Amino acid sequence: MERPWPEAERWLLVAVLGMQMLMGVVGNVLVLLVKVMGRSQFCCRYWLPFFSLTMSDLGCSLLIIPGSLLAMLTGGQKSPWCEVVSLLKFAFITSSIGSIAILCVQQLIGVASTRSPLSVVMAAGCLASWVTGVVFGSVPVVYTWIRYDPAEMLCAVFWENSYSDMLVYILCAFSICIFLPFLLIILCSLLIAIGCHSSCNRNGEADLSSVRPLLVASYMLCYTPFVASELILLGRMDLSLAPDWLRTLSSVMSYLDCSLNPLIYCSHQNFREAGLALLWTRRKPLTEPVLTSITRYDM
């Protein structure tokens, strides 16, 4: 299972991970600043799922990607960081898809993140996506199914003895944490596409939720290798893993999603303008000059 990376491939992956980490940290920090300090400059009725998604992306960029980067440089991960990384990665995966699902539901029924009784239900849904991720991520840690996978560049779940344990765990985890939010996303997206949703514009201004189709497409594209590798594992009775290249691709693509989302937010014109104003526009002076007197000079 342990195989040394060729020197050229190792440094290429180090460069890619470093770029993804930089883009993810800087991009998501700027997104949070714009959402907090520039909220009045763009319309965002559904700020809660956007906030949850950004925190998930930032957490992955701060903790998971640097973990893989260090593992490539040092040759592995050790306990207890190994178990922590495995748990957090699954929590970030489920919180991301859960946040996107809540965004789709809110946009469909037109429930804002504040001043609505249903907003409490939406907040509970976002919280549930985090909690279920932590719970299911903790199971392999408790049963010591975790060890370092050089192909994934982080610690992952390994099944060495029981196919039935693997089958039950993957089916339960995917059904609750992945498949249910995925169904909500597809159903709500179809209903929104055919016009079965409430209008949410403020004075004709486009809401930030207009970037939802790009967020959905990005998540589906970036996590397809991860799902494919798990399905391959599920179909192999001998518990052999998916090909190394697919497991490496699944990690790189999942990290890419964290750095793409800030760019997707910037495709919204008002959000982009709010960000540019925050970065480049000087603050106006506290007091404007006031004309107090006129002096006349005879020439």
Side-chain angles (χ1 to χ4, degrees):
M1 188 62 60
E2 295 284 345
R3 68 173 182 85
W5 280 96
E7 197 68 12
E9 293 182 13
R10 186 167 73 94
W11 285 110
L12 175 61
L13 284 171
V14 167
V16 171
L17 292 174
M19 181 63 67
Q20 290 178 331
M21 180 182 67
L22 181 63
M23 291 177 59
V25 172
V26 174
N28 286 290
V29 167
L30 290 176
V31 166
L32 285 177
L33 289 176
V34 174
K35 288 178 179 178
V36 173
M37 301 178 64
R39 278 183 65 181
S40 60
Q41 300 181 44
F42 61 94
C43 180
C44 182
R45 297 188 69 209
Y46 316 121
W47 62 267
L48 182 60
F50 278 114
F51 179 78
S52 176
L53 180 59
T54 303
M55 290 303 298
S56 176
D57 291 338
L58 181 59
C60 182
S61 302
L62 284 173
L63 299 174
I64 309 302
I65 302 179
S68 291
L69 182 59
L70 288 175
M72 290 296 296
L73 294 173
T74 61
Q77 290 178 337
K78 297 181 179 180
S79 182
W81 181 243
C82 183
E83 290 79 8
V84 172
V85 166
S86 176
L87 188 156
L88 289 178
K89 182 182 181 182
F90 194 74
F92 291 143
I93 291 174
T94 59
S95 62
S96 294
I97 192 172
S99 300
I100 296 175
I102 294 298
L103 174 62
C104 293
V105 172
Q106 283 192 281
Q107 190 177 18
L108 175 66
I109 62 181
V111 177
S113 293
T114 55
R115 296 189 296 273
S116 171
L118 284 178
S119 64
V120 178
V121 179
M122 300 296 109
C126 284
L127 180 61
S129 67
W130 284 89
V131 172
T132 54
V134 171
V135 170
F136 279 98
S138 301
V139 173
V141 175
V142 172
Y143 287 94
T144 62
W145 295 335
I146 305 296
R147 63 186 175 90
Y148 179 68
D149 180 8
E152 289 193 49
M153 301 172 289
L154 80 168
C155 291
V157 180
F158 278 81
W159 310 94
E160 298 177 341
N161 298 315
S162 176
Y163 178 83
S164 61
D165 289 345
M166 180 269 292
L167 180 65
V168 170
Y169 175 79
I170 291 182
L171 288 180
C172 290
F174 267 65
S175 298
I176 297 174
C177 300
I178 304 296
F179 189 63
L180 181 59
F182 176 76
L183 284 180
L184 282 176
I185 291 172
I186 297 300
L187 178 61
C188 293
S189 297
L190 289 175
L191 292 175
I192 292 172
I194 63 177
C196 301
H197 68 286
S198 302
S199 176
C200 62
N201 289 350
R202 180 183 66 187
N203 299 326
E205 181 182 354
D207 191 87
L208 184 59
S209 61
S210 61
V211 303
R212 173 195 52 79
L214 292 176
L215 291 175
V216 172
S218 174
Y219 189 93
M220 299 304 174
L221 173 66
C222 291
Y223 280 95
T224 294
F226 169 76
V227 175
S229 65
E230 295 300 316
L231 291 178
I232 290 175
L233 174 63
L234 197 62
R236 291 181 171 177
M237 299 293 293
D238 61 353
L239 300 178
S240 58
L241 299 174
D244 289 350
W245 67 266
L246 182 58
R247 305 204 310 278
T248 301
L249 181 64
S250 71
S251 290
V252 172
M253 291 297 290
S254 63
Y255 298 158
L256 178 64
D257 184 60
C258 301
S259 55
L260 281 182
N261 285 342
L263 299 179
I264 292 175
Y265 298 140
C266 290
S267 67
H268 185 274
Q269 181 179 352
N270 292 342
F271 185 89
R272 183 172 64 251
E273 291 174 353
L276 292 175
L278 183 65
L279 289 174
W280 304 114
T281 303
R282 294 181 179 180
R283 294 184 178 181
K284 294 182 179 180
L286 295 178
T287 57
E288 296 289 343
V290 178
L291 180 64
T292 56
S293 64
I294 298 177
T295 302
R296 180 177 179 180
Y297 294 93
D298 293 327
M299 301 299 291

